[in-house]
């Protein structure tokens, strides 16, 4: 027996060896292929097999329209990646289309360019060739914007089924179009079960128009179709594009564990049924127009969400339940029916609204719904609820309020003195064992910002727009100011000594620059004259601050339409700022229509602030913000404030502000005129507004404690939304009373 065993074993080993060799011959090993240019890339793409990886060499890949198509296998995806994550830059007119099965893309950075097509990253090659079971991870898109502000494109669109978009970094989208969207336009992309998770959605500046959402799931046309998309553990950092940060327009989706930081707008259940919103955190820090959740449609579940310091109102409120349209068409507002709203905490949230939007069209009140075990706490003990219509279709039960008297809803709320304490997760909770079932769970996990996006690309930090650079002092003379501007960097301060400055060239600004007089009194202010049709031009990326200077039009050319400051004459992606303090502007009268600020179509100011300044003997307007006349809900500035200033002998209007159309997706404009004196304003025959101040479509207006003498009236025209107009404590001498009217 021993001899037989000894003879048999070598035979078995030999056969096993032959079998292993056969496997090595018939099953090729996965390949890692490094390519250095586009020709090498497309050549390598033709031979990729499941498990292969194609790597782009470190460096800049310009004007690269990447097509990544292949057929991977479960557990053996085909991968497109960077040689080194974060060191492969896709620039110029570039994009990425992936199509096929089991594909992975990672490590790329899109910046310094824009897509030549509609999408930067698309989960399809064309309408017939989609990506399924594929993943895009650790990819950065930073400021990859079309140079035309209202040329619409999308940074990411998901098609197909069972795809994942995770740990990506998207920041700085400034042109029109949703940052990221899921499309359901064919059966092959419906009931898709996509997963969108652990992404960092960085700051998106205000667009000043509809079309600035950060994330949209579906469209109104397919909104009664299920998507089954999961949106989990994403960080939305100051996503301000428009009223809707997330626009849900399909059914069966889940929004869990996301964090919204100082984002102006709401997570909106705009269309679609049977969605879940759970375990999300909204922190507003009392920033203007920060919002929470807006509820529309059928069978929505809103559970265990934390909302603190939200200031938004109307459709952008901290928590909003809408009215619907009876027998609504698919693109309008479907009635809230069967909503479950439970165990949410609203801490120092300014506005909670029910039956919002109620009007002659939106008359279908919420029905078959419940609102229970919610905590509503405001530090001032005030009633934050606004009830716009019948809410008897909502069953209220076991909700707690903090020291609210004479509450509008008769049952289902208990008002008491509530003391808050900070939980281990950093959120605020009511003290006491009886409060354990009220508001959000103490086990709610708060998303860590560092766990989102990538760890090799910086996340956007808050920064001051002006005054963070170097300070340079100059003396008077011809073009000394011009030479200083040539070398100025973003954030620099140029200090002007007393004396006269003559500027013979247009001063163009593509960064934020402060011009500050160093004189101790008004008579010591530096005086600036200029020989071009404008003194300053704010280019894309620019901003201007004037402090303690005098500007005269004595040397301006004798032509109509001069201005002190103008924006770029072309579309601007960046939202600029203008600050004017303790300065004087006089004798802008070499010809008619000499304005202080002239803007162009498709330029947008985040803020214009004028304080403690004087304007006299000017033939045109002070602020001419009237170039968006297409009535599409677009306008030229978000916040404009004039405080403690004097205007004398102004031919045109101090303010001409225009925002036409009936779109409800924006917050502004906002206008403040306070503690100022207007004398002989608006009386030029060329002043077509017939007003000293004309405001059309402005959403928030405060005009108070001013004196108007021998001036044209204040004229306010409401056009859309629920505008707030307050005109109080003003004096009108030889000036008609202000008028406020509603345009049809």
């Amino acid at each position: 027996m021993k001899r037989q065993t000894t003879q048999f074993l070598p035979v078995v080993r030999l056969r096993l060896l032959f079998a292993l060799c056969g496997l090595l011959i018939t099953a090729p090993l996965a390949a890692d292929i490094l390519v250095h240019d586009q020709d090498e890339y497309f050549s390598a793409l033709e031979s990729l097999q499941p498990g292969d990886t194609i790597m782009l060499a470190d460096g800049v890949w310009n004007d690269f329209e990447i097509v990544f198509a292949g057929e991977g296998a479960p557990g053996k995806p085909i991968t497109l990646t960077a040689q080194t994550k974060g060191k492969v830059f896709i620039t110029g007119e570039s994009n990425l289309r992936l199509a096929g099965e089991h594909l992975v893309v990672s490590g790329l950075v899109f910046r310094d360019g824009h897509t030549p097509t509609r999408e930067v990253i698309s989960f399809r090659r064309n309408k017939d060739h989609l990506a399924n079971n594929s993943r895009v991870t650790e990819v950065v898109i930073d400021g990859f914007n079309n140079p035309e502000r209202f040329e619409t494109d999308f940074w990411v669109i998901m098609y197909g089924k069972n795809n994942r978009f995770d740990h990506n970094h998207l920041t700085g989208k400034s042109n029109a179009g949703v940052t990221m969207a899921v499309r359901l336009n064919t059966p092959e992309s419906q009931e898709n079960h996509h997963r969108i998770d652990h992404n960092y959605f960085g700051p998106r500046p205000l667009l000043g128009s509809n079309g600035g959402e950060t994330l949209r799931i579906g469209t109104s046309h397919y909104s009664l179709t299920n998507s089954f998309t999961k949106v989990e553990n994403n960080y939305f950092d100051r996503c301000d594009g428009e009223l809707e940060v997330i626009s849900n327009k399909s059914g069966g989706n889940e929004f869990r564990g996301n964090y919204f930081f100082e984002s102006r707008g709401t997570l909106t259940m705009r269309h679609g049924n049977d969605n879940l919103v759970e375990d999300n955190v909204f922190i507003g820090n009392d920033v203007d127009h920060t919002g929470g959740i807006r509820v529309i449609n059928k069978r929505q579940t809103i559970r265990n969400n934390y909302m603190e310091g939200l200031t938004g109102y109307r459709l952008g409120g901290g928590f909003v339940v809408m009215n619907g349209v009876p027998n609504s068409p698919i693109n309008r507002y479907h009635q809230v029916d069967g909503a479950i709203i439970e165990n949410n905490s609203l801490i120092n949230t300014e506005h909670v609204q029910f039956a919002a939007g109620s009007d002659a069209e939106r008359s279908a009140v919420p029905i078959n719904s419940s609102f229970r075990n919610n905590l509503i706490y405001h530090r001032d003990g005030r009633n934050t609820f606004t009830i716009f219509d019948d809410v008897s279709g909502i069953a209220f039960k076991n909700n707690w309020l903090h020291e609210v008297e004479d509450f509008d809803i008769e049952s289902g709320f208990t008002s008491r003195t509530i003391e808050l304490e900070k939980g281990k997760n950093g959120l605020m909770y009511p003290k006491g064992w009886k409060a354990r079932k009220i508001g959000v769970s103490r086990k709610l996990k708060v998303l860590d910002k560092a766990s989102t996006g990538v760890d090799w690309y910086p996340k956007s930090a808050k920064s001051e727009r002006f005054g963070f650079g170097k300070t340079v002092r100059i003396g008077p003379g011809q073009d000394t100011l011009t030479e200083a501007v040539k070398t100025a960097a973003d954030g620099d301060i140029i200090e002007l000594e007393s004396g006269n400055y003559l500027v013979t060239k247009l001063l163009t600004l593509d960064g934020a620059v402060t011009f500050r007089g160093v004189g101790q009194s008004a008579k010591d202010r530096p005086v600036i004259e200029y020989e071009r049709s404008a003194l300053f031009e704010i280019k894309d990326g620019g901003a201007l601050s004037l402090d303690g200077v005098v500007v005269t039009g004595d040397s301006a050319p004798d032509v109509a339409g001069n201005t002190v400051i103008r924006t770029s004459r072309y579309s601007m992606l960046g939202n600029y700022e203008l600050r004017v303090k303790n300065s004087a502007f006089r004798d802008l009268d070499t010809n008619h229509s000499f304005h202080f600020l002239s803007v162009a179509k498709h330029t947008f100011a985040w803020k214009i602030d004028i304080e403690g300044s004087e304007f006299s003997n000017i033939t045109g307007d002070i602020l001419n913000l009237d170039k968006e006349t297409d009535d599409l809900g677009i306008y030229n500035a978000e916040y404009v404030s004039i405080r403690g200033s004097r205007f004398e002998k102004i031919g045109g209007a101090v303010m001409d502000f225009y925002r036409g159309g009936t779109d409800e997706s924006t917050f502004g404009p906002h206008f403040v005129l306070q503690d100022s004196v207007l004398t002989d304003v608006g009386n030029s025959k060329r002043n077509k507004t017939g007003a000293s101040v004309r405001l059309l479509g402005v959403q928030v207006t405060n005009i108070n404690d001013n004196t108007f003498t021998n001036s044209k009236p204040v004229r306010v025209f409401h056009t859309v939304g629920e505008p707030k107009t307050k005109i109080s404590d003003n004096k009108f001498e030889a000036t008609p009373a202000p008028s406020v009217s509603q345009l049809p």
Side-chain angles (χ1 to χ4, degrees):
M1 293 292 292
K2 286 184 179 179
R3 282 195 298 269
Q4 291 175 346
T5 304
T6 302
Q7 293 174 349
F8 178 72
L9 283 174
V11 175
V12 173
R13 289 176 181 145
L14 188 60
R15 289 174 179 171
L16 287 172
L17 179 61
F18 287 147
L20 289 171
C21 290
L23 286 173
L24 291 173
I25 293 170
T26 58
L29 296 175
D32 290 344
I33 306 168
L34 178 65
V35 296
H36 299 84
D37 57 38
Q38 295 187 37
D39 289 339
E40 287 187 9
Y41 170 80
F42 285 111
S43 178
L45 188 67
E46 295 177 359
S47 59
L48 292 177
Q49 298 296 317
D52 286 354
T53 296
I54 185 168
M55 295 182 292
L56 303 184
D58 292 348
V60 175
W61 294 67
N62 191 51
D63 294 340
F64 188 14
E65 294 190 59
I66 307 171
V67 176
F68 181 48
E71 297 296 322
K76 292 184 178 181
I78 299 174
T79 300
L80 167 64
T81 190
Q83 180 182 10
T84 306
K85 291 179 181 178
K87 292 188 178 181
V88 172
F89 301 98
I90 314 299
T91 65
E93 294 192 11
S94 300
N95 57 20
L96 166 65
R97 288 173 286 164
L98 58 155
E101 296 284 341
H102 299 284
L103 307 174
V104 175
V105 178
S106 68
L108 309 180
V109 178
F110 289 82
R111 71 181 191 190
D112 301 324
H114 66 277
T115 177
T117 59
R118 189 176 65 164
E119 300 137 358
V120 179
I121 297 177
S122 176
F123 281 73
R124 73 176 188 181
R125 183 176 188 174
N126 53 49
K127 65 180 181 179
D128 299 317
H129 194 191
L130 314 182
N132 298 297
N133 304 299
S134 296
R135 180 183 185 193
V136 173
T137 183
E138 293 190 283
V139 167
V140 173
I141 308 178
D142 184 359
F144 208 68
N145 296 305
N146 191 292
E148 168 54 52
R149 185 181 184 90
F150 288 103
E151 184 68 32
T152 298
D153 59 32
F154 304 86
W155 277 6
V156 181
I157 295 192
M158 298 184 80
Y159 299 93
K161 294 187 178 182
N162 303 310
N163 295 314
R164 185 180 181 194
F165 188 83
D166 68 283
H167 293 89
N168 299 291
H169 180 121
L170 281 63
T171 188
K173 191 173 197 309
S174 300
N175 66 307
V178 180
T179 305
M180 180 176 181
V182 175
R183 293 298 305 272
L184 286 74
N185 53 324
T186 64
E188 292 77 16
S189 294
Q190 296 166 6
E191 298 187 0
N192 52 69
H193 297 277
H194 294 323
R195 185 179 177 198
I196 301 168
D197 66 285
H198 293 91
N199 300 290
Y200 173 72
F201 292 96
R204 172 157 193 178
L206 195 69
L207 182 62
S209 167
N210 189 12
E213 303 99 324
T214 294
L215 176 61
R216 188 183 72 207
I217 313 294
T219 59
S220 58
H221 187 75
Y222 297 97
S223 59
L224 297 181
T225 302
N226 287 327
S227 181
F228 298 133
T229 296
K230 291 185 178 180
V231 180
E232 302 175 312
N233 300 313
N234 301 284
Y235 197 97
F236 295 87
D237 186 1
R238 290 163 285 160
C239 295
D240 297 345
E242 61 140 271
L243 182 69
E244 298 177 5
V245 178
I246 295 180
S247 183
N248 182 85
K249 293 186 174 182
S250 54
N253 301 313
E254 297 180 8
F255 300 88
R256 293 178 183 267
N258 302 290
Y259 194 105
F260 299 79
F261 177 76
E262 294 184 6
S263 291
R264 292 160 53 99
T266 63
L267 192 171
T268 300
M269 302 289 99
R270 183 63 184 87
H271 295 302
N273 306 317
D274 303 293
N275 297 288
L276 173 65
V277 181
E278 185 173 37
D279 299 341
N280 302 285
V281 174
F282 300 77
I283 302 296
N285 290 329
D286 298 326
V287 171
D288 204 15
H289 293 293
T290 46
I293 300 168
R294 182 156 61 115
V295 184
I296 314 166
N297 309 303
K298 295 181 179 180
R299 299 179 299 278
Q300 315 287 28
T301 299
I302 317 296
R303 178 190 299 133
N304 205 49
N305 300 284
Y306 183 90
M307 291 156 270
E308 181 177 355
L310 306 178
T311 63
Y313 65 94
R314 200 166 58 90
L315 303 189
F319 191 85
V320 180
V321 178
M322 290 283 294
N323 257 22
V325 176
N327 301 312
S328 175
I330 198 167
N331 65 333
R332 290 300 291 152
Y333 286 86
H334 287 226
Q335 185 176 31
V336 173
D337 184 354
I340 298 173
I341 304 165
E342 61 186 8
N343 289 102
N344 302 286
S345 292
L346 289 83
I347 309 296
N348 296 322
T349 292
E350 297 296 322
H351 296 280
V352 180
Q353 303 196 329
F354 284 91
S358 176
D359 57 20
E361 181 199 25
R362 290 180 293 215
S363 60
V365 299
I367 58 173
N368 304 319
S369 298
S370 63
F371 187 88
R372 60 192 179 222
N373 301 331
N374 299 289
L375 171 67
I376 302 94
Y377 175 98
H378 194 279
R379 55 190 159 235
D380 298 333
R382 69 176 183 81
N383 181 8
T384 59
F385 280 72
T386 306
I387 313 298
F388 292 93
D389 210 326
D390 178 20
V391 293
S392 61
I394 304 175
F396 297 98
K397 183 179 179 181
N398 199 33
N399 301 288
W400 282 20
L401 302 169
H402 174 58
E403 297 181 343
V404 175
E405 297 180 0
D406 301 323
F407 190 60
D408 300 331
I409 302 172
E410 294 183 359
S411 63
F413 289 84
T414 300
S415 181
R416 62 183 70 201
T417 298
I418 299 172
E419 293 185 46
L420 298 181
E421 61 183 0
K422 185 172 290 188
K424 293 180 180 180
N425 57 7
L427 307 181
M428 302 303 295
Y429 291 88
K431 290 182 178 180
W433 67 269
K434 290 185 178 180
R436 292 288 174 175
K437 294 184 179 181
I438 302 298
V440 298
S441 166
R442 289 180 180 259
K443 296 180 181 180
L444 175 59
K445 186 176 180 180
V446 178
L447 180 67
D448 181 9
K449 180 179 178 180
S451 70
T452 64
V454 299
D455 58 12
W456 41 262
Y457 201 90
K459 294 179 171 64
S460 302
K462 282 188 171 182
S463 61
E464 176 59 38
R465 190 71 177 96
F466 293 99
F468 58 86
K470 65 181 183 297
T471 299
V472 177
R473 179 171 291 196
I474 64 172
Q478 179 171 316
D479 286 327
T480 58
L481 196 53
T482 307
E483 294 303 313
V485 169
K486 283 183 180 179
T487 59
D490 189 32
D492 282 359
I493 301 171
I494 299 175
E495 292 189 336
L496 286 70
E497 297 176 352
S498 299
N500 294 318
Y501 294 77
L502 178 63
V503 179
T504 66
K505 300 177 181 180
L506 179 66
L507 303 179
T508 59
L509 306 175
D510 57 8
V513 182
T514 298
F515 299 85
R516 184 168 66 199
V518 296
Q520 298 298 310
S521 63
K523 67 179 181 179
D524 295 326
R525 290 174 180 166
V527 178
I528 304 171
E529 299 180 27
Y530 60 102
E531 295 182 347
R532 296 292 302 275
S533 60
L535 174 58
F536 296 104
E537 182 176 72
I538 301 175
K539 307 287 280 186
D540 205 0
L544 172 62
S545 175
L546 299 173
D547 186 356
V549 301
V550 176
V551 177
T552 81
D554 292 344
S555 298
D558 187 8
V559 296
N562 291 328
T563 187
V564 177
I565 305 163
R566 75 183 187 208
T567 65
S568 170
R569 293 178 177 178
Y570 306 101
S571 178
M572 291 169 58
L573 286 172
N575 297 344
Y576 68 94
E577 290 189 39
L578 172 61
R579 299 181 185 178
V580 180
K581 185 177 180 181
N582 300 325
S583 296
F585 305 87
R586 61 189 185 218
D587 300 328
L588 309 181
D589 63 348
T590 53
N591 209 310
H592 70 79
S593 306
F594 199 142
H595 306 303
F596 170 67
L597 171 67
S598 295
V599 304
K601 188 179 180 67
H602 294 179
T603 64
F604 190 79
W606 168 241
K607 287 184 179 180
I608 298 174
D609 292 327
I610 298 174
E611 181 180 355
S613 295
E614 300 175 2
F615 299 79
S616 60
N617 197 25
I618 297 171
T619 60
D621 300 325
I622 303 303
L623 300 177
N624 201 306
L625 305 175
D626 64 346
K627 298 304 182 290
E628 303 290 358
T629 56
D630 294 333
D631 293 345
L632 298 175
I634 303 173
Y635 48 105
N636 285 123
E638 185 67 17
Y639 293 95
V640 180
S641 67
I642 301 172
R643 291 181 168 90
S645 296
R646 301 181 67 88
F647 303 86
E648 185 173 1
K649 199 178 179 183
I650 310 298
V654 166
M655 165 59 79
D656 187 7
F657 217 155
Y658 190 97
R659 189 267 194 207
T662 57
D663 182 79
E664 296 180 284
S665 299
T666 57
F667 308 104
H670 306 71
F671 177 67
V672 173
L673 177 62
Q674 186 177 64
D675 296 322
S676 297
V677 176
L678 288 74
T679 303
D680 193 11
V681 173
N683 292 318
S684 169
K685 64 181 181 180
R686 298 182 183 276
N687 179 18
K688 297 180 180 179
T689 70
S692 57
V693 174
R694 183 184 76 146
L695 308 175
L696 189 150
V698 174
Q699 294 297 292
V700 181
T701 299
N702 282 287
I703 300 175
N704 62 284
D705 297 301
N706 305 288
T707 299
F708 296 78
T709 302
N710 191 34
S711 296
K712 292 296 183 180
V714 173
R715 303 179 68 194
V716 179
F717 302 93
H718 292 168
T719 59
V720 69
E722 300 168 16
K724 296 182 176 182
T725 298
K726 184 178 181 181
I727 304 175
S728 63
D729 300 317
N730 301 286
K731 295 180 180 179
F732 298 96
E733 301 174 357
T735 299
S739 64
V740 179
S741 57
Q742 177 70 47
L743 294 183

